[in-house]
Structures are given as C-alpha cells and as structure tokens.
Amino acid sequence: GISVVRPLAVFPEYRTIVTQEAPGPTLQHVLAGATRIWASRRDAERAGRFCYLAGKWLNRFQQLTCKGKAPFSADDIRHYCNIRLSDLVASPGSGIDEHMRQGVLDWIETLSSQALRQDNTVAGCHNDYAPHNMIAGDGHLCVLDLGFFNYDSTVYDVCRFWHRLETFGQDPLVSGRRTGEFQEKFLAGYGHRVDRTAGAFRLAECRFVLSSMCTLQKGNAGSFARRRLNAYLYNRYLGWLTRAVGGSHG
C-alpha cells in the first residue's frame, strides 16, 4: 500500500529530476474534505487509512536509510529560526518585537540543550513530509518530491507530518477530534513511540510554526474570507509561541 514515484531522468544543469506520474488526488485534498465538521464517516475512515499508510511509509523509509545513533544537532534549526524571527520582527503588525525574538531564541537554546541529552537516530529525511507531497489513490499512498533529501534526525519528518495535521485543526470549520484521530492513525502506522514534549520534537515544531507564520504574514492576497482566516490562523500560532516561551520561564 505504499510506494515512491519512480525517477525517469535527471538534468543536473537545471537541478531537476523528472519522475513518473502518480495518478490520484493529493492526501492534502483528501484531508481537506475529511477534516471538515460535516464530513461523512466514510470519508474520515478513508483519510485515516491514508494517515496510517503515511506513518508506515515513513517507518519503512527510515529503516532503509538509517545511519545509526548520533548526537542531535540543533545548528540548522537555530539558524533557520533566527532568520524567520528577523523577518517577522521587520514585518509590521506581526506581533513579534525584538524582546519576543530574544525570548524565542533563549527558549531554543534551552530545548537544544535538552535535545543533546536525548537519544537520537539519524536517517534519510524527506524534509517536506506533508500531505501535499503524497498521492492518495485506490487505497495506495505514493510519496513525491524528495528534492530536499538529506540525512538528519528522524524526528523532523515525524514532526512535519504531525504539525501539518495540527494546522488543519486550527481551522474553525475543522473537527479537532477528527484531526486528533488522524494524528493517532499516523503514529500507529509509524509504529514508534514519539515523545512530543522532548526537546528535539519541540525544536522541530518551533521551526514549522515560524515557517507557517511567515507564510501567513505574506498571504495578503485572496478573498476577504481567506484573509480573515489567515489572520485567525496567524494569531493562533502567535499564541502558541507566546505560551511556549512564557512556559519556559515559568
């Protein structure tokens, strides 16, 4: 029930890989319907099955590419988060000032120290392991776009998929209970215990939250309803970040 698109050709001068077409809708499209509060139970069961397969795919992928144990390195996350925070500080109305930026960076340092003391496995990373890069057709899940592949902590791809489902749950028209069910289906397919309070997971989550905030902050186009929804989602993420930093000093 799981596969990856087959590469057909590579053009290094264009940094391009051509792959075989995978027919069917993206899992993003399937989840967009199945997470709505009015979605049918049948649609929810179908989406839950694909989330389970997404966990199964990731488990298999990491088994095949495993490099073994190594200390967790937070250098890339520190650099990425610092850039995103600077962008938000420079953006009017972001709710992030220099004081808040420094608070987040201090929190990241605390999480980095925690992550360094925790068990860590290095394996292949998709680096955009999210529903929009998966084709869900005829009970079969096919994963696309491994253009950002590298080797790093196994926590990144787990957190990326988990966080994307969490993003669905921020929408007021989405069933939070159903989103939670999909997250549990994903972890059941993954087959490993994931400590979402651990430093490494929280670091990865912070990275994805800041990425989402920057994307939403720039999303001024679209209908009035879309802009209002983007503002609502942005404020939810800002609240998450404020509570996280405040809790680290409590």
Side-chain angles (χ1 to χ4, degrees):
I2 54 176
S3 65
V4 64
V5 288
R6 184 168 64 92
L8 301 177
V10 60
F11 299 94
E13 65 273 26
Y14 300 113
R15 299 173 64 88
T16 300
I17 299 173
V18 178
T19 63
Q20 186 178 38
E21 180 183 11
T26 64
L27 181 53
Q28 176 91 0
H29 178 80
V30 172
L31 287 170
T35 52
R36 296 295 177 181
I37 54 179
W38 56 79
S40 69
R41 193 64 210 173
R42 180 181 177 183
D43 287 343
E45 289 174 353
R46 179 170 176 260
R49 171 62 179 167
F50 281 120
C51 288
Y52 176 86
L53 290 177
K56 182 180 176 183
W57 191 99
L58 185 56
N59 184 10
R60 182 61 175 152
F61 175 66
Q62 291 178 348
Q63 286 179 356
L64 291 170
T65 59
C66 183
K67 292 284 190 179
K69 304 292 185 180
F72 184 87
S73 174
D75 292 344
D76 288 344
I77 281 189
R78 285 195 199 95
H79 179 67
Y80 180 89
C81 290
N82 191 25
I83 290 174
R84 290 291 173 258
L85 284 165
S86 297
D87 289 343
L88 289 169
V89 168
S91 179
S94 70
I96 304 289
D97 58 16
E98 188 58 38
H99 178 74
M100 178 68 171
R101 172 181 169 275
Q102 191 56 54
V104 175
L105 292 176
D106 290 345
W107 179 54
I108 288 173
E109 287 300 321
T110 300
L111 293 177
S112 299
S113 298
Q114 294 175 7
L116 193 60
R117 298 191 297 268
Q118 294 163 357
D119 188 52
N120 181 61
T121 301
V122 172
C125 287
H126 183 287
N127 278 310
D128 196 9
Y129 195 69
H132 64 268
N133 279 326
M134 302 173 185
I135 299 296
D138 297 327
H140 188 99
L141 187 77
C142 182
V143 176
L144 317 172
D145 193 7
L146 280 86
F148 294 108
F149 174 90
N150 69 351
Y151 288 95
D152 212 325
S153 175
T154 55
V155 75
Y156 287 127
D157 283 344
V158 178
C159 187
R160 173 61 169 148
F161 192 88
W162 174 274
H163 176 73
R164 190 64 192 93
L165 290 178
E166 194 76 5
T167 300
F168 276 104
Q170 302 299 321
D171 191 321
L173 298 179
V174 160
S175 167
R177 176 185 58 81
R178 188 163 284 173
T179 302
E181 290 177 359
F182 294 158
Q183 289 173 319
E184 294 306 317
K185 290 284 188 181
F186 167 67
L187 292 181
Y190 186 58
H192 297 290
R193 180 181 175 273
V194 177
D195 184 359
R196 298 192 299 276
T197 66
F201 191 93
R202 296 284 278 169
L203 278 170
E205 197 172 14
C206 181
R207 170 185 174 179
F208 297 133
V209 164
L210 288 173
S211 174
S212 297
M213 289 177 70
C214 286
T215 299
L216 290 168
Q217 186 72 1
K218 296 173 183 176
N220 297 320
S223 65
F224 174 78
R226 170 51 60 183
R227 294 196 303 273
R228 293 294 296 173
L229 178 58
N230 285 350
Y232 170 83
L233 294 175
Y234 182 89
N235 287 326
R236 291 291 296 266
Y237 286 129
L238 181 60
W240 180 94
L241 199 62
T242 302
R243 289 190 299 273
V245 174
S248 70
H249 297 296

